[in-house]
Amino acid sequence: MGAGPLPELPHKTAGGLQALLMFGAPGAGKGTQSQEISRQLHIPHISTGDILRDAVRKGTEIGRRAQSIMEAGELVPDDLVCAMVERRIAEPDCQRGFILDGFPRSVHQALFLDGLLRAQRRGGVVAVNIRVDQGSLLKRLTGRRTCPKCGTIYNIYSNPPQKAGICDRDGASLIQRDDDTEAAVQTRLREYRRQTRPLIERYRSLGALRDVDGNLEPQAVTAAIIHLLKAS
Ligand code: AP5
């Protein structure tokens, strides 16, 4: 998006508080798109995966509970993730709205979020479903490299850094996620189909879901999301 006015998220209420939910299979581009939309709309990107990975790196109680579950590609218990999200969206930077990347991921989490938004008199929800051909997902995930310092996401095939293995922004050495092994990816895809994909139909039936073609170049996907937010 150029220098035009910032689009407001739709369904804005008097409180002006909204949630943009990013859905899509592992590797669909939720993190990539959330980072860019956060930059353009000036609202925080809340990735439950990033918060959990940070907790694992720091060796906190949450991190210790989550580590082996994440490495196997299973879902971390609902109570733990819900408490994490509740704390995060209570922070002041979320007052104008926020992007949830990777949450909700189960029916329990979706109902919890409904209750939270209602109790806090938050505005409406828009859910974006990034659709990508199944065949591309494995290559995207095994080719992903991430900056441990600033979180920028690269791909050795489609979006390599200027210097191999080094973040363009801060010079840190890029890392590969522990759950981007083929075995863990298969489990993540299975959990996605079993627990998360049904939520897409839930938000569709509520009239809050918008589909986006995630097979396009990342910039084109961002433009499509911004366009649909303006149109909603
Ligand atoms: P999480 O971190 O949320 O992982 P995920 O959902 O599996 O999604 P990914 O981060 O792998 O993919 P993405 O869609 O963000 O793709 P990205 O933009 O990076 O969760 C990890 C784990 O944490 C879970 O398995 C679970 O254990 C736990 N967890 C997290 N939330 C939880 C919850 N709510 N409840 C319970 N447990 C939870 O892109 C992928 C690659 O593709 C990159 O290399 C990128 O450069 C490239 N790419 C992106 N877009 C394009 C494009 N348009 N064209 C070409 N390449 C592209």
Side-chain angles (χ1 to χ4, degrees), residues 89-133:
I89 69 175
E91 289 178 27
D93 64 334
C94 292
Q95 289 299 303
R96 242 195 94 242
F98 48 86
I99 304 166
L100 281 176
D101 162 13
F103 185 94
R105 233 173 168 107
S106 65
V107 172
H108 178 91
Q109 293 180 17
L111 295 175
F112 179 85
L113 180 65
D114 287 354
L116 208 56
L117 297 177
R118 212 176 299 119
Q120 298 181 2
R121 297 177 185 281
R122 299 270 179 170
V125 161
V126 177
V128 168
N129 177 29
I130 305 176
R131 301 167 66 116
V132 173
D133 295 339

Side-chain angles (χ1 to χ4, degrees), residues 47-60 63 70 148:
S47 156
T48 43
D50 285 349
I51 297 173
L52 288 165
R53 278 184 288 279
D54 191 48
V56 170
R57 264 195 299 276
K58 290 177 176 155
T60 65
M70 293 175 75

Side-chain angles (χ1 to χ4, degrees), residues 22-35 45 47-53 66-78 80-82 84-85 101-106 109 130 132 136-137 139-146 153-160 177 179-180 184-185 187-189 191-192 195-196 213-222:
M22 302 297 274
F23 283 105
K30 302 180 294 295
T32 302
Q33 293 305 322
S34 299
Q35 285 183 352
H45 164 207
S47 156
T48 43
D50 285 349
I51 297 173
L52 288 165
R53 278 184 288 279
Q67 185 167 18
S68 58
I69 301 172
M70 293 175 75
E71 280 173 10
E74 308 278 352
L75 291 191
V76 171
D78 286 332
L80 200 152
V81 183
C82 288
M84 236 168 57
V85 168
D101 162 13
F103 185 94
R105 233 173 168 107
S106 65
Q109 293 180 17
I130 305 176
V132 173
S136 318
L137 295 175
K139 191 172 176 190
R140 283 193 184 191
L141 291 169
T142 52
R144 172 167 50 196
R145 301 291 182 273
T146 312
I153 302 166
Y154 297 89
N155 192 284
I156 57 171
Y157 307 112
S158 61
N159 178 29
R177 270 172 45 177
D179 62 349
D180 277 347
V185 166
T187 307
R188 285 159 61 199
L189 286 168
E191 287 302 288
Y192 168 73
Q195 303 220 50
T196 311
D213 182 358
N215 297 296
L216 307 173
E217 290 293 311
Q219 295 79 357
V221 181
T222 308

